[in-house]
Amino acid sequence: MLETPALVASAKGGVAVSLLVPRDDVDLLQIALKHELFIGLRHRRGLIYDVGTFTTPVDGELSELVFVLDPEDKHIDTTVRLVSETLKKIATAGFGKAAIDSARIHGSAQAQRTFAGLDYLDRLAEDGLHGWPTHSPEQSFEDATEVTSERLTRVLAGSAASVIIAFNEDASLSKRTLKSLALTVTCLTPWQPVENDFSQPAASTAESTWHAKGEKSTLIVTDTALFNIEAGRTRRILFEDIVMAGDRSCGCLTLVDSQGRSIEFQADNWKRVKSLKRRLIETLDPTLVRIFPKH
């Protein structure tokens, strides 16, 4: 679990915010926080068109709550900064009356809608397989009618350490935004830079070296790591950080590290990719290799 907030450069467009929230509070917090983001970023600033939301159970106590925002590329920097400032402001000053009213009205309506009972049975079955407790529609309705700004503010403040803000990697964040967030950018890739004084690995045989197609990029496999050398920059993936290797029938290989970051090696990008794939699978712990779908 994350213990400090993270700022992530992602291949996906726009901006997204993720945080871990107690399962019993996730639905009402989603409604209230969506209202605040929508009013602040669209109505007041005109930076986005809509706010998408997703919730995913993590375990019996926590759910991941995600907000997906759709600013134009030129507005990504400002959106990232204002999202961070909005979360900090609410965690300190509390939710506005309109946001709490929205949570009360929509939360009550969701608990009483026609298919609420059927949705509850689905959740009951799924939670039962995991051994997790399930909130009934009656409990959800009671929570919605009694929701307060103080309660949701405490929930948001308690989830602050788990916040991830992701933005499109092609966008440049200004010094003002980086200073406001006080976070360094993490790239969503297993490739990690090495120190300036790091000596490049030796690769004297073709069996240890692979070259990219159409680019001056080289892969070197050693017993402990996979190195990438391009334009004088060296990056590496330590094999001890790999938790899964996906063997695809199309000839590709996907590596996933302990933080859920992944990378795929495809025949379109690398020469002799079959031998690269074979060497990596031979080097990795066999228990980490899984058969992945073709696509």
Side-chain angles (χ1 to χ4, degrees):
M1 293 296 184
L2 289 177
E3 296 181 354
T4 56
L7 181 61
V8 174
S10 168
K12 294 187 176 183
V15 175
V17 185
S18 166
L19 60 159
L20 297 177
V21 179
R23 288 187 66 188
D24 291 349
D25 301 301
V26 67
D27 292 334
L28 295 177
L29 183 64
Q30 172 187 297
I31 297 170
L33 193 49
K34 177 179 180 178
H35 178 91
E36 296 280 16
L37 291 171
F38 189 80
I39 294 299
L41 298 177
R42 175 173 175 168
H43 283 246
R44 293 175 184 161
R45 301 298 297 265
L47 295 173
I48 63 172
Y49 178 75
D50 200 4
V51 179
T53 59
F54 301 90
T55 59
T56 305
V58 175
D59 54 31
E61 298 180 356
L62 292 173
S63 286
E64 182 193 25
L65 175 56
V66 175
F67 299 91
V68 179
L69 314 174
D70 55 357
E72 294 184 20
D73 291 346
K74 62 183 179 181
H75 293 147
I76 286 179
D77 176 65
T78 305
T79 301
V80 168
R81 184 175 70 255
L82 291 181
V83 164
S84 175
E85 292 176 356
T86 298
L87 295 178
K88 292 177 182 177
K89 179 180 178 181
I90 296 173
T92 302
F95 284 91
K97 181 179 182 301
I100 297 302
D101 288 343
S102 179
R104 182 180 300 110
I105 294 169
H106 291 286
S108 300
Q110 288 179 4
Q112 292 183 305
R113 61 193 177 89
T114 304
F115 296 105
L118 295 178
D119 290 343
Y120 169 67
L121 292 178
D122 287 341
R123 291 197 306 274
L124 189 65
E126 183 177 345
D127 290 346
L129 293 174
H130 291 290
W132 299 343
T134 306
H135 229 43
S136 69
E138 292 77 16
Q139 290 172 309
S140 298
F141 178 77
E142 183 178 345
D143 289 344
T145 56
E146 297 178 357
V147 67
T148 63
S149 175
E150 291 76 14
R151 173 184 167 184
L152 293 188
T153 301
R154 285 196 301 270
V155 172
L156 179 60
S159 302
S162 67
V163 171
I164 300 173
I165 300 179
F167 66 97
N168 182 255
E169 60 190 2
D170 294 329
S172 297
L173 297 186
S174 64
K175 293 181 179 179
R176 177 186 177 187
T177 294
L178 293 174
K179 182 178 180 180
S180 174
L181 271 65
L183 297 172
T184 56
V185 177
T186 299
C187 293
L188 200 62
T189 173
W191 290 118
Q192 298 302 309
V194 297
E195 297 77 10
N196 294 330
D197 58 351
F198 179 82
S199 57
Q200 293 188 358
S204 57
T205 64
E207 288 73 21
S208 300
T209 306
W210 286 262
H211 299 282
K213 293 181 177 179
E215 297 181 12
K216 294 182 179 180
S217 181
T218 301
L219 293 177
I220 297 176
V221 179
T222 69
D223 292 336
T224 59
L226 172 64
F227 293 86
N228 173 240
I229 302 174
E230 182 177 359
R233 181 180 65 164
T234 302
R235 303 179 298 171
R236 69 180 175 185
I237 300 173
L238 295 175
F239 291 139
E240 65 182 20
D241 289 339
I242 298 299
V243 297
M244 186 180 296
D247 184 358
R248 299 186 185 274
S249 60
C250 62
C252 304
L253 182 71
T254 300
L255 299 181
V256 184
D257 73 3
S258 58
Q259 296 188 44
R261 301 172 299 196
S262 65
I263 188 170
E264 187 169 83
F265 298 96
Q266 303 176 348
D268 293 343
N269 302 326
W270 295 97
K271 301 175 183 178
R272 301 170 41 239
V273 74
K274 289 184 178 179
S275 65
L276 170 63
K277 173 181 173 180
R278 184 169 57 252
R279 176 62 184 277
L280 289 172
I281 289 178
E282 290 173 352
T283 305
L284 292 168
D285 183 343
T287 62
L288 303 180
V289 181
R290 302 284 190 273
I291 301 300
F292 273 24
K294 182 176 181 180
H295 300 291

